[in-house]
Amino acid sequence: MCRSIKTLRPPVLPEEATEDDIRAAALQYVRKVSGFRAPAAHNREVFDRAVDAVAEATRELLENLEVRGAARG
């Protein structure tokens, strides 16, 4: 149904995750758990809100993770 979601934190991802990276991961997650690649018109709003919420949670997680041995910037 969808490709694997990649790890977005350093050092796995050498540079900081972009907004596009975060949004793509959120979209893949929502697609996977909903079972829909693209929602029907009557589900579009709730689908998009879920992607936004997952993207925001991902952004917050990445901003606050402390990775041992990595310099904090």
Side-chain angles (χ1 to χ4, degrees):
M1 175 197 296
C2 64
R3 68 181 187 265
S4 296
I5 299 170
K6 66 181 180 178
T7 301
L8 297 180
R9 69 161 177 80
V12 177
L13 187 67
E15 66 281 347
E16 189 172 308
T18 66
E19 188 59 34
D20 287 343
D21 293 330
I22 292 170
R23 187 93 185 151
L27 178 60
Q28 291 304 320
Y29 175 81
V30 172
R31 284 177 173 170
K32 186 61 140 182
V33 299
S34 71
F36 296 112
R37 184 179 181 329
H42 62 276
N43 285 324
R44 171 57 64 188
E45 186 178 339
V46 71
F47 189 92
D48 289 344
R49 280 197 320 258
V51 173
D52 291 342
V54 172
E56 180 57 33
T58 302
R59 214 175 289 106
E60 182 179 343
L61 173 68
L62 292 173
E63 288 172 359
N64 292 292
L65 278 177
E66 291 185 31
V67 179
R68 289 185 180 188
R72 231 170 121 86

